[in-house]
Amino acid sequence: MAAREDSRHGEGAGGGDDAGPDHGRWQPPAGERPRVRGAFDELEPGPLRDELAGAKSASQPLAAPDPAEPPARLARLQFTGEGAEYFRIWVVNTLLTLATLGVYSAWAKVRKTRYFWQNTRLEGYAFDFHGRPKAVLIGRVIALALLAGYSLAFEFSSRAGLAMIAVLCVVGPWLFARAQRFKLANTSWRGLRFGFSGGTAEAYRIALPPMAIWFSGTVAAVVADRRAALATLAGVVAVALVPWMHHRLKAWQHARATYGDRNFAFLPATAGFYRVYFVAGALLLGAGVGVALAGVVAFGALLGAVFGRGESAAAAGVGFLVSLALFLVAALAAWPYFAARLQAIVWSHTRAGDVRFATAIAPWPLGKLVAKNVLLTLATAGLYWPFASVALARYRIECMRAESDEPLVALAESTLRGTQDASGDAAADAFGVDIGL
Amino acid sequence: MTATWAATRFDGRSGAGEIVAVAIDGGVLRLASRQRVERYRLAELRIAESFEHAPTMVVLPGGATLEIRDPERTLGAALAVAGLRPSLVVRLQRNWAAALACLVVLVGLLAWGYVNGLPLLARAVTSVIPADVERRMGESVLEVLDARSLKPSGLPLARSQAIARAFAAAAARSAPGVAVRLEFRAGPANAFALPGGAIVLFDGLVKTAESDDEVLGALGHELGHVVHRHSTRQFVQVLGVAAVASLLWGDFSSVAANAPLLMGAFRYGREFEREADEYAIAFMRDNGMPVEALDSLFARLEKERGAGLLPDFATTHPSTAERRERVRDASRGGSPTR
Ligand SMILES: [Zn+2]
């Protein structure tokens, strides 16, 4: 334990470790420190051989109990990515994606995911992502087909639209489960895969009710022949249940996650979700009043400009920009609150055996970061975007904490994968769908 | 005399790792742990592209993995010496000059795509959109406009019916088989065409025009947009720009990204307007009407300057001078084609 504590203190000071921060963060975990000389004798003499062969330092018991240390172990995530490096990756990825009319986007997605995972470290060890680009491509084609089908179906006929909703209800839950499985089963830490144990039947039980509620407004509008009251009622019910739906899906995602043979768990937090949605909604509403006023003026002027005389065009332009700016401000006020508080609730209710999670993410710093990202991205015609992605990832990742009574490394070592083989969940490799939640 | 790197070897069945030393020697990777030494040919390993501050991840035959620490970034060079060069893509993104060159190409590709590629793509996509879908698109746009801002026409019924009859006859001659429908609404001297063949004619234009020929000239221009399916192509182009923007910037504030696009959605490009004007000239000739009527209408509209953001007929681009020039050329030079 002492070794890790040292490494954490060493980060800030950077003291005495001439091998650079990269090397400084890494410490051979206590249990692995070899204590006998053997094959390392083949190595040239030097610090590496000393370290690996455990000449002196390892002869001291590393896990000596420190009386000052609190009983719970706190582990933080570190992020080592850099904007400049990711900028080059982004440029090349984007160019190839455009040049191949989007086909390369699957390869780009895999490289991006690997970049962010491999630069994320827990206890000195990096995460990794193993998804195959072809699987991502198949997933994207399926998702695109469904999206296009859904957005075009109602243009053909109401019947086609309803049929498309039925198709979504039939394949949606299954796809959602597959997406979770693809994402988790292709992510690893210390050579061991995460996983998702949610089955297909369960996927329908969990995801069908929210989907049914979500589509009820549309279905009511079509079936009841545009009887406004019924559709409005269904819409209001659907909106009122959004936090419940979000919680239901999130809880399932986290409760069915696995690492090796360990299962994650999720403690219900519906009330917390409602609180966050309510406050964020109130913030948006409050900030939105001013926006709405400016917006009404601007929209009136816009319509005047569209169908009226030329002079109002300038007024509309100004009004439109003002209301757009105000909307951005409102969104910037509400979104960080929403994202930060929701993350905090989700992680504080997630467990992996004895391991508890927490995030120090907070609305104000997140808001400042997002505002900076948006402004610089706009000011650089989009070129700041990769830097913004890295800055946001660093903040979110480094806010994460894992806490347990035992060192995480010891937990990981005792974690066996059971009967599954090392190549991972084969079924999860067939295709991956991006469903961001 | 070979360099060595510290690594952790995981068997993939548990999270327990074993500290090993890695050396690369003539196409062979040597793993030295305290119990044993293993040798693998580089060809049988899966060595992932590595990033500047991240460890290098290697999959060994059988599914075990290696996480190699390489703080000095020396492993890549050693692998290259052993014959494992990174792929072209990886080499491009590791090199600032190459990445910036890619950026230049990217910007060039975006510019070319916007000017040339997108219209071609839009034409191709539009050609496979069924007419029925197009008509429904137009209907829903008109529904929204009617609900929000458009007022019924104040023209005498006889007048609007006469215009509608004359236009229907002319359109049947000029563009047989093209579904087209005339809608009258109150408004300034203007007209516009919707996907699926609906043409909205504002009272102001009828009042401004001095003859029915002038009104039909404006409608001929709109018919040109209908025949060339300009509004649908425009719609597809806007969607294309939005798709590229989301490819580039992911989920970056869709409001900020899409607001300018939506404003541009109703604004035809110069090319579309030129095509529609040419169509209007041919339309006048086909129906034995004087092409000069277009010129005199342009002249009157120029005085009124009633253009708005959503043109279409009284659009300001191309400039009215340019449009009049073209019409006058046509009326001088060309004898009626039919
Ligand atoms: Zn036009």
Side-chain angles (χ1 to χ4, degrees), chain B residues 3-25:
Chain B
T4 6
W5 295 268
T8 310
R9 182 193 198 278
F10 296 104
D11 63 4
R13 293 182 206 293
S14 93
E18 182 186 18
I19 304 292
V20 294
V22 171
I24 289 162
D25 205 354

Side-chain angles (χ1 to χ4, degrees), chain B residues 191-193 221-222 225 230 268-269 272-274 276-277 311-315 317 323:
Chain B
F192 64 93
H221 172 98
E222 299 308 326
H225 285 314
H230 282 160
Y268 293 135
F272 284 3
E273 293 307 339
R274 200 182 48 71
D277 279 346
D312 163 63
F313 183 71
T315 185
H317 70 285
R323 297 175 78 182

Side-chain angles (χ1 to χ4, degrees), chain A residues 148-243:
Chain A
Y150 180 65
S151 32
L152 289 177
F154 276 103
E155 302 285 348
F156 278 99
S157 71
S158 302
R159 199 169 295 181
L162 290 182
M164 198 59 218
I165 285 182
V167 168
L168 281 182
C169 285
V170 169
V171 298
W174 180 71
L175 279 178
F176 181 66
R178 292 299 293 251
Q180 304 315 313
R181 204 156 155 196
F182 182 78
K183 197 165 71 183
L184 283 165
N186 280 308
T187 307
S188 68
W189 181 61
R190 294 182 63 94
L192 199 56
R193 302 284 181 107
F194 288 81
F196 186 73
S197 62
T200 309
E202 206 182 32
Y204 283 94
R205 195 164 55 71
I206 295 292
L208 262 187
M211 288 184 80
I213 293 166
W214 187 250
F215 287 126
S216 63
T218 316
V219 174
V222 174
V223 173
D225 199 18
R226 298 175 194 277
R227 206 169 300 151
L230 194 57
T232 311
L233 180 69
V236 168
V237 169
V239 168
L241 287 175
V242 162

